[in-house]
Amino acid sequence: MIFEVAVLFLALLWALSVWFFLNYSKRQRQVMAEQAIGDALRDQRIKDLAKRLDDYQNGTVRMGEAIHDLRVALAPLPDKLQQLEQRDPSSVTFSQAAKLVGMGASVEELTQSCGLTQAEAQLMSKLHRAD
């Protein structure tokens, strides 16, 4: 009788162990599936961030190229400015025309006294008119 009770107890213990093992295996599969989903989301996020980083790098390179082009375009300007400053002082400059506009000179007066074209005189008048 004791032997039969012991066998029955061992059988119950074995069945309980099998049940715990199966539950543990099931939970482990669920955890692994959740981790796989998390890993896939993480990998997608890394790909998205890598693409954004590439876009920023490409934009920075284009900006650098544009700045270089601007430097090349602006490089001769100091020499041109110096040439303008060293022009014949007897000729009336645009700055003098601006002063005349500030004193109330008309477009016709600018064309006559400064030697500007009609379009230049109109532009000077619009730019420097005291409103």
Side-chain angles (χ1 to χ4, degrees):
M1 170 91 154
I2 294 179
F3 181 70
E4 293 165 353
V5 171
V7 170
L8 186 61
F9 177 74
L10 288 176
L12 283 172
L13 189 61
W14 179 80
L16 188 61
S17 297
V18 168
W19 183 77
F20 279 126
F21 175 75
L22 291 175
N23 276 342
Y24 176 78
S25 297
K26 182 179 178 181
R27 277 185 278 142
Q28 288 296 1
R29 282 192 300 270
Q30 288 173 344
V31 167
M32 287 180 5
E34 290 171 2
Q35 284 179 342
I37 290 170
D39 290 347
L41 290 173
R42 184 197 65 231
D43 291 345
Q44 184 60 42
R45 180 78 174 138
I46 288 172
K47 286 178 186 178
D48 293 343
L49 290 173
K51 184 184 180 313
R52 287 178 61 190
L53 180 62
D54 286 342
D55 292 344
Y56 287 134
Q57 286 176 336
N58 290 336
T60 302
V61 167
R62 285 191 305 270
M63 224 182 306
E65 290 169 351
I67 289 172
H68 176 71
D69 293 344
L70 285 174
R71 281 188 183 162
V72 168
L74 294 176
L77 288 183
D79 293 334
K80 289 182 180 181
L81 182 60
Q82 189 176 16
Q83 289 173 356
L84 286 174
E85 289 172 349
Q86 293 175 353
R87 278 193 330 193
D88 182 15
S90 64
S91 67
V92 178
T93 63
F94 284 109
S95 61
Q96 291 169 328
K99 288 178 189 175
L100 289 173
V101 170
M103 294 188 307
S106 67
V107 173
E108 290 78 22
E109 291 171 335
L110 290 176
T111 56
Q112 291 172 1
S113 62
C114 298
L116 298 176
T117 65
Q118 184 76 16
E120 289 172 334
Q122 288 174 348
L123 179 63
M124 290 300 291
S125 178
K126 288 179 182 177
L127 286 175
H128 298 287
R129 183 178 310 135
D131 293 319

